Amino acid sequence: MANTVLIGIDPGLSGAIASIAVAEDGSSVVRVTDMPTKQSRTGNKRSIDAWEFEQALYSHCRDKASVAIEHVGGIPGQSAPAAFEFGFGAGIIEGVLSAIGYSRVYVRPQTWRKEMNVIGSGKDAVMHTLQQYAPDAYGAWILRKGHDGRADAIMIACWLAKNNGIQLRNIGSVM
């Protein structure tokens, strides 16, 4: 049984929710859920599904958990409607976390990447670092190039562990 549950969230539509359940001996288990989405309010795009997001969080941890959310802003060159949709999704995440009472911190990508020794700026850089840091979690969850949101979420949860002084050993994974 886990003593501590740490959750990392990559908030984009192709993002993910990753949890690390840490036992007293430092052994840990990783679970990952792709960001749940549904048809957006405008009907022609996808948006984060608040109810499914809440259910996904509960599937990771029914009790209190510490959460780190990647703090990102608009993308240069992004249209105003796209920026609004991204902000709307971030608001859904914030609202659900507030409603269920999970404590949370925000971390900029530059901060967690630097502190987790991610070398390089591309999406492959995080996947390569995760493969070195937690090979079992990498093998179980990162199946192809399009799963960089999963890698980010796992590494954000690992950053949260490191920031809370929790040593992760024997990082395993559950499907």
Side-chain angles (χ1 to χ4, degrees), residues 25 43 51 53 60 133:
D25 66 358
W51 189 83
F53 177 73
H60 287 262
Y133 191 77

Side-chain angles (χ1 to χ4, degrees), residues 64-111:
K64 299 294 182 210
S66 294
V67 178
I69 306 165
E70 188 174 55
H71 183 73
V72 292
I75 300 167
Q78 188 177 38
S79 71
F84 179 82
E85 282 299 322
F86 184 81
F88 189 81
I92 288 172
I93 291 169
E94 177 67 27
V96 170
L97 290 170
S98 293
I100 60 180
Y102 285 1
S103 65
R104 59 202 168 280
V105 296
Y106 294 88
V107 59
R108 294 203 176 276
Q110 302 87 337
T111 302

